[in-house]
Amino acid sequence: MGFGARITGWGSAVPDTVVTNAEFEGRLATSDEWITERTGIKERRWGGTTSSLSIEAGNAAIKRAGLSAADIDLLILSTTTPDQAVPATSAVVSHKIGTSGGAFDLNAACAGYVYAMVVGRAMIGAGVNKKVLVLGADTLSRITDMDDRGTAILFADGAGGVVLEATEDQDDFLGWDLGVDGSAQPILYADHGSYLRMEGREVYKKAVRVMVESAEIAMHRAGVTSDDIALCVPHQANIRIIEAACNRLSIPMERASVVLDRFGNTSSGSIPLALVDAEERNRLNPGDLVLFSGFGAGMTWASAVVRWSGN
Ligand code: ACO
C-alpha cells in the first residue's frame, strides 16, 4: 500500500476569560435555565485571536508528538474567523511556530476541522507530505451580535489540533465523507464586516439529518458499524443536536465527547477541543475507533472514522 496516516500529537487552547450564562441575564431577555435547557451550554470562553489560540494549540500538539516545529512540512488551519483578510492566518501561525513547508487556511465553517484532517491525510496519502499539523481555530465572539439572544449565547472562542504522520505499514483513516449544500446559505451566514445571522430552527433540523447521513457514509466506507465506535467526537453546537444524532446512529451518549457545557460553539475549535478533552480524561485507548462528525454554515458537513493509536 501507499502511505497512510496516524495521529501522533494533539493539543488545544482556550482564552482565560470565562463568560457564564448568568452574565447574559439582565442584558438580554434570557436566563441560565433557558440556555442550559435549549443548548446545554453553561459557560464559554471569549478572547484571544485566531492566530494566538492556534499557536498555543499547535505548539502543544507538536510537543505531544515528540517533534520539533521544523519537522512539520505542512500546516492546514481550518478557520472562519481569520485575523485579517490577507494574508492567511496560517502564514502568521507557521512563522510564529516555526513550521517548514507550506501553510494554508481552509474555510468550511464548523465542518472545516474534519475537512482539514481529511485533506491532511490525502496529502500524506499522495506522498506529498510526511508530517502535517492540522489546526482548527475560531474567535466567533468577534463576529457575534452581542445584542442578539439567539446567537450571543452560543458562539465562543477556542482552538485545537493534531499532528498527522505518514506511516507505511498502517492507515488509521478508515473512511470519510465530505459534503456541501450551498442552497442552505441563507440560514447561516456573515457578510463581510458583519455579524453572523442564523435561523436556528432551520439549522437545527438540517444539522441532525446531515450529521447522521454523513456519519453513516463514513462508517460504511470504513467497513464498521456504530457498535464498533468507541468514541464519537461531534461538532459542539447544541447538546440536543448531539443527542438526536447519537440516538439515530445508535451510539449511547456515554460514548460521545461533550465539552460545549464549558466552551460553547467554537466552530473549527470544537471537534479538536472535544478530542483533547477525551484523551485527557483517559477515554481513549490504542485501537479505539473514533467517529468525527461536523456540520456548519454552507451548509457543509464532514465525518471521518479514525483509529486511535496514541503515541
Ligand atoms: N433566551 C430566551 N429565549 C430565546 C433565546 C434565548 N437566548 N433565543 C431564542 N429564544 C426564543 C425565541 O425568540 C423564540 O421565541 P418565540 O417563540 O417567542 O419566537 C423561542 O425562544 C424559541 O426559539 P427557537 O429558535 O425555536 O428555539 P430552539 O429551541 O430551536 O433553540 C437554538 C434555539 C438554540 C438556536 C437552536 O435552534 C439551535 O441550537 N440551532 C442550531 C444552532 C447551531 O447549531 N448553530 C451552529 C451551526 S454551525 C456554525 O456555528 C457556524
Side-chain angles (χ1 to χ4, degrees), residues 76-298:
I76 307 173
L77 171 60
S78 165
T79 188
T80 314
T81 47
D83 287 355
Q84 298 173 278
V86 178
T89 305
S90 51
V92 175
V93 174
S94 167
H95 170 63
K96 293 277 175 60
I97 293 180
T99 59
S100 307
F104 62 93
D105 287 12
L106 181 156
N107 181 350
C110 304
Y113 185 73
V114 180
Y115 266 74
M117 281 209 305
V118 170
V119 173
R121 156 64 183 79
M123 292 296 275
I124 286 173
V128 179
N129 295 101
K130 295 275 186 250
K131 294 178 173 58
V132 181
L133 178 59
V134 181
L135 296 173
D138 269 302
T139 42
L140 290 178
S141 68
R142 291 191 299 117
I143 59 166
T144 299
D145 180 353
M146 295 303 172
D147 294 326
D148 172 19
R149 66 179 181 174
T151 53
I153 57 156
L154 300 173
F155 298 129
D157 309 333
V162 299
V163 172
L164 302 181
E165 292 194 52
T167 52
E168 286 188 64
D169 51 345
Q170 73 178 75
D171 188 1
D172 284 350
F173 281 70
L174 306 182
W176 56 79
D177 172 59
L178 307 181
V180 67
D181 173 10
S183 72
Q185 180 267 348
I187 64 171
L188 181 55
Y189 65 94
D191 289 327
H192 281 300
S194 190
Y195 293 131
L196 272 168
R197 295 293 169 212
M198 180 176 75
E199 288 178 35
R201 175 90 14 136
E202 287 306 308
V203 173
Y204 185 102
K205 281 191 288 193
K206 285 193 194 312
V208 174
R209 184 170 49 78
V210 300
M211 262 179 88
V212 170
E213 287 174 3
S214 175
E216 282 174 344
I217 292 169
M219 287 192 291
H220 178 74
R221 289 180 178 158
V224 304
T225 71
S226 54
D227 289 343
D228 302 312
I229 301 298
L231 186 75
C232 175
V233 183
H235 172 46
Q236 310 281 309
N238 184 314
I239 190 67
R240 293 186 295 145
I241 293 175
I242 295 175
E243 285 170 352
C246 284
N247 183 33
R248 289 188 203 178
L249 289 166
S250 301
I251 296 176
M253 280 301 285
E254 303 81 68
R255 285 197 261 139
S257 180
V258 175
V259 296
L260 59 75
D261 51 331
R262 284 168 287 147
F263 301 135
N265 179 351
T266 57
S267 191
S268 288
S270 91
I271 284 179
L273 275 168
L275 176 71
V276 172
D277 186 79
E279 196 281 332
E280 286 174 349
R281 289 167 191 266
N282 298 316
R283 297 181 64 191
L284 284 166
N285 296 302
D288 280 354
L289 297 191
V290 182
L291 170 64
F292 297 93
S293 190
F295 65 92

Side-chain angles (χ1 to χ4, degrees), residues 51-68:
S51 59
S52 67
L53 295 169
S54 298
I55 291 162
E56 189 181 336
N59 280 329
I62 292 168
K63 188 173 174 201
R64 191 70 179 72
L67 299 174
S68 60

